[in-house]
Amino acid sequence: MSGVFQSAAMAPLEDRGGAAQPLLIARDLVRHFKVKGVGLGEEAAVRAVDGVSFSLFKGETLGVVGESGCGKSTLARLVMHLIQLGSGELIFDGEGVGAPDGVSVDDLRRQVQMVFQDSASSLNPRMPIRDSVAFGPYVHGKSKEESRRIAREMLGRVGLNPDLFGPRYPHELSGGQKQRVNIARALAISPRMVILDEAVSALDKSVEAQVLNLLRELRRSFNLTYLFISHDLNVVQYISDRVLVMYLGQVVELGPVDDIFSRPLHPYTRALLGSRSSMDPANRIEEPPITGDPPSPIDPPSGCRFRTRCPHAEAVCELTMPRLGQWLNRDSHVAACHMHEPGSGHTLAVGNA
Amino acid sequence: MTQAVATSIDTSWEADPAPAAKTRTYWQSVLIRIFRDKATLIFGTVVLAIVLLAIFAPLIAPFDPYKESIIGRLKPFGWRGHPLGTDELGRDMLSRLIYGARSSLLMGMVPVLVATLVGGTLGVIGGFAGKRVNTAIMRTMDVFYAFPSVLLAVAISGAMGGGMMNGMIALSMVFTPALCRIAETATAQVRSLDFIEAARATGARPLTIIRHHVLGNVLGPVFIYASSLVSVSILLASGLSFLGLGVKPPEPDWGLMLSTLRQSLYVNPIICAMPGAAIFVTSICFNLVSDGIRSAMDVRQ
Amino acid sequence: MDGTLMPQADIAPLVEIEDLTVRFTSREATVSAVNGVSFSVKPGEVLCILGESGSGKSVTLRAMMRLLPEKRTTITGRITIAGQDVLGLNARDLRALRGGLVSMIFQEPMTALDPVYTVGEQIIETLRKHRNMSREGARARALDLFELVKIPSPERRLDSYPHELSGGLRQRAMIAMALSCGPRLLLADEPTTALDATVQIQVLILLRRLQRELGMGTIFVTHDLGVASEIADRIAVMYAGRIVEEGPVADILANPRHPYTQGLMASTVHGQHRDADIQAIPGSPPDLRRMPAGCSFGPRCPTSQPRCREAFPPISHPSADRMVRCFREGEEAKASF
């Protein structure tokens, strides 16, 4: 911890489980939303998050990528307990969240904070930004003056002069400045982990780069752990240590960033990577890697959810759902695909080839 | 501090679009904006004057508002020292208008105030809690909504018996559902925004969130709607009085005066129009002032 | 429309914009959204206007169709499309221009498609209005168009309402509608931005193919260098309402001359090393209500000089088909990016 940090800000909570203990383990998280079905009185379920497991180690950045409707934002809100878990288990620094002998939801929220995509709507339009930043410490029992002091320091840390910007209202700030305020707000209660839900997606490229640099610097100086959710593979590749690829509410691939980008296992990950522009007009993409749109998360395909768009789909993909395999370790690179499951029955499965 | 320096490079170039504002709270800046708005100040002064007239009526009124005169009925302006003439029973018009401000303002403001408090609270609770609590509150309000407001006011005050107090209770009940709905809609809108979720993620309790993040954003629409109801309330109250359910003759009341003078319209139309003009001016001023306050509350202007 | 019409030097331009200026006036302020933009597009050529939010790229596009609110907008300059002076057109000719010669596709198809009619009806209606086709003929043509934009089971999709289609299909339906009257110029306002990555590339490839096959001149507005590099023949980089650099896409990407273009390319995340900071352009674009004197990029420019505050840099041509507006162009010192 830097000296500056401790001087004014709230004291960060202690590391309880030690360095080897993942900061967060999510096991089989499930959340379905009921929606009105086609017929009268019929109900269907959006399987927003459907059995997601991952571990997040201390000090690392886990990038979560996927297309719209893959459940990545729902996942963020589940981790924050902003929406109720359907089933599954969250273990924060070795202790069950909400369990009788574990960590309470309130304690969790003291340690995990979130930055949202829409920088404008995540700030109270009728509050000077200084007060928005001071709100967190105030809620956690700091006096008004103390909270304001923390807010001043945090605004400075995200590159906004507190005297100049503190008294301003959100509408007087540019998108990038607002997102800096949101980052300051999240950091004001000294969390150990920050969820960044498409936090740079709405920003212009030149501003996005500034905010990414800022996030990297803050991660270093505050010793933060990030869950970085984005649809932009380039950004995820740049900022993440490990990457989790989601498709229709499930994890399809998980592994260290270099492994994922240099030798993707899952056909969906390959398609995602293949859809990136090479930025070279002489070397344009001539054929789309996959066709069609992602199906609706209401009534997803049986078996492997990607099979409707997968070039290698076979009968086994329709019958059984592939498993992710050993996901708990830091360096495991796993994919939920029958082709990578020996003896799955797929003709291209590793054992058969 | 090296890190702080490193990140502040980004803003060192930054031209300051607005002069550095002083440290002010939200409500302080609202007040400042109101004082900068000339029109609102003028209309606010008129409202204040009417309120003061009502309070100090015995000191200001030139005549006894109840003293009748058989020969001096419906006389024009300035007749025998009556600045605004006399009414159909020969009573001094100006004095009656001044005294009439009392009941009209009371009947105009108290029900709206009560309805704002009750309806606003219920609406914010319903809008913020959502789900079953909201359904319970809003469906109850819908029952009241189902009746035309005039009919409902007449029915309630009729059932409770006439009189000013019962009239005010009736009107409060008429306005509560509307204000509840406005507050509920505004709250539900605010609640869906990310900053409420961010506040929840900070670990704040619902009441803290409502106090810090919801009220400021909900008060505006509630306030503007409530102030537009003041004139409606004055009119409804006069309607009740006309039916014998509100203020009783010979008490001076603008609505009641308008009703009784109505019969003399062809004898002295100007005199007959006076209470109407009073109602008109008062309600317009209330509306304009509330408009001004609303725009002062909108920080984006 | 026949064959593949490739741009040639001696062909008369399809679009010519000269000194286009767009101002929005309101009670509080005047916003200078576009400040003297000139460019031309040849038949069959794809020009990408690249810029960040507030750069005036979408406003330029809308001004070409005169889609901006007339009351609050002042447009000066000249817009010529296929020989027609767009700013001088009366209401009837303007309608003919919008429905026939020029078509536009948007970022969000839901705003362009009417939610209460099926997509088929909307295309048929357009065809009947602009082409005087019979109902049967129009339907057959609509079906052709749906096949052209590769909508699977087109017969069924014609009878779908916009909300029943997925994002990618909706975008394809809008493209089909835009193509229905055989436009010679297609204006595309970030049509792939709202789409998922795997869908975005499909739509881009489709647009590229259609543009080539139908020989349409295309102006494609985007903020995404990657998208531009996939589809553009030429790129015009806009900043604060001005085109600061223009040229063939490969040249610009390989050798950007303007400090803003250089900064934009450096700050676009694309395989940078993870241990180093990205070279970001400091600050944010100027307030269009209070434009700085001189070069509008000056306050953010690493090579800014006193003369940059005095006047906007003149046009210089580093080579025959390139244009840059920077004082340092042609001088020895290059920006330090």
Side-chain angles (χ1 to χ4, degrees), chain A residues 88-350:
Chain A
E89 182 185 27
L90 278 170
I91 297 162
F92 190 83
D93 206 1
E95 297 177 63
V97 176
D101 54 346
V103 54
S104 71
V105 172
D106 279 356
D107 282 347
L108 178 83
R109 287 181 181 164
R110 166 84 169 72
Q111 309 193 48
V112 186
Q113 280 293 294
M114 187 160 167
V115 178
F116 298 83
Q117 169 172 15
D118 186 346
S119 62
S121 90
S122 41
L123 289 171
N124 186 342
R126 289 175 196 278
M127 221 183 230
I129 59 160
R130 172 195 53 204
D131 293 357
S132 280
V133 178
F135 182 72
Y138 174 73
V139 163
H140 284 278
K142 295 280 177 188
S143 69
K144 279 206 165 127
E145 295 72 46
E146 186 74 3
S147 307
R148 284 241 166 126
R149 242 201 9 255
I150 295 174
R152 283 184 61 83
E153 165 160 353
M154 284 304 151
L155 284 174
R157 291 303 292 262
V158 298
L160 297 173
N161 179 343
D163 295 319
L164 208 59
F165 287 94
R168 292 209 188 144
Y169 289 92
H171 69 96
E172 296 171 300
L173 270 58
S174 70
Q177 290 166 342
K178 270 182 279 208
Q179 204 57 303
R180 284 171 191 265
V181 175
N182 280 313
I183 293 168
R185 182 179 51 72
L187 295 185
I189 61 170
S190 307
R192 295 169 66 192
M193 171 181 161
V194 181
I195 301 174
L196 300 145
D197 184 8
E198 301 272 10
V200 297
S201 304
L203 304 175
D204 281 325
K205 293 290 167 198
S206 67
V207 179
E208 177 187 84
Q210 294 170 16
V211 175
L212 283 176
N213 288 341
L214 174 69
L215 286 173
R216 276 162 43 90
E217 187 233 304
L218 293 170
R219 175 176 65 189
R220 205 164 44 230
S221 54
F222 289 134
N223 201 11
L224 294 168
T225 302
Y226 286 158
L227 188 66
F228 189 94
I229 297 172
S230 176
H231 68 278
D232 187 332
L233 286 155
N234 289 320
V235 171
V236 166
Q237 181 178 21
Y238 174 69
I239 200 149
S240 310
D241 301 308
R242 291 193 307 138
V243 176
L244 182 153
V245 185
M246 280 183 81
Y247 187 77
L248 284 184
Q250 295 183 328
V251 180
V252 296
E253 187 161 358
L254 173 68
V257 62
D258 291 330
D259 290 2
I260 295 255
F261 280 84
S262 58
R263 32 181 206 92
L265 298 176
H266 199 282
Y268 176 63
T269 314
R270 269 183 252 151
L272 270 183
L273 292 174
S275 303
R276 289 196 296 177
S277 167
S278 63
M279 301 279 231
D280 177 7
N283 197 5
R284 289 180 171 168
I285 303 172
E286 290 303 332
E287 279 300 317
I290 45 171
T291 54
D293 285 24
S296 155
I298 308 173
D299 274 332
S302 67
C304 172
R305 293 196 174 166
F306 185 61
R307 70 176 163 83
T308 51
R309 300 170 82 193
C310 183
H312 312 292
E314 292 183 4
V316 60
C317 304
E318 192 176 338
L319 293 173
T320 48
M321 193 182 279
R323 280 171 325 190
L324 186 62
Q326 192 40 256
W327 49 268
L328 194 59
N329 299 331
R330 195 194 286 258
D331 47 6
S332 56
H333 179 189
V334 287
C337 175
H338 288 307
M339 291 193 288
H340 298 282
E341 209 176 307
S344 65
H346 197 287
T347 50
L348 298 174
V350 265

Side-chain angles (χ1 to χ4, degrees), chain C residues 196-210:
Chain C
D196 287 321
T198 57
V199 183
Q200 174 170 23
I201 192 67
Q202 296 173 42
V203 173
L204 267 183
I205 290 171
L206 173 75
L207 275 174
R208 202 165 67 197
R209 206 198 73 222
L210 290 172

Side-chain angles (χ1 to χ4, degrees), chain A residues 106 126 140 159 168 177 217, chain B residues 7 11 14 16 202 205 297:
Chain A
D106 279 356
R126 289 175 196 278
H140 284 278
R168 292 209 188 144
Q177 290 166 342
E217 187 233 304
Chain B
T7 47
T11 47
E14 211 141 353
D16 184 18
T202 331
R205 308 263 151 229
M297 283 167 73

Side-chain angles (χ1 to χ4, degrees), chain C residues 247-321:
Chain C
V249 57
D251 285 8
I252 296 243
L253 290 178
N255 180 20
R257 312 289 290 227
H258 195 280
Y260 174 65
T261 319
Q262 293 166 349
L264 195 63
M265 286 181 63
S267 59
T268 299
V269 187
H270 182 76
Q272 275 96 335
H273 200 276
R274 286 217 305 283
D275 298 330
D277 271 2
I278 310 166
Q279 290 189 321
I281 308 175
S284 39
D287 186 341
L288 295 174
R289 287 165 299 183
R290 282 177 286 257
M291 293 279 278
C295 177
S296 36
F297 188 62
R300 302 174 76 186
C301 182
T303 63
S304 168
Q305 300 169 334
R307 59 178 166 170
C308 300
R309 290 174 198 276
E310 273 143 35
F312 197 76
I315 292 173
S316 45
H317 294 281
S319 60
D321 51 1

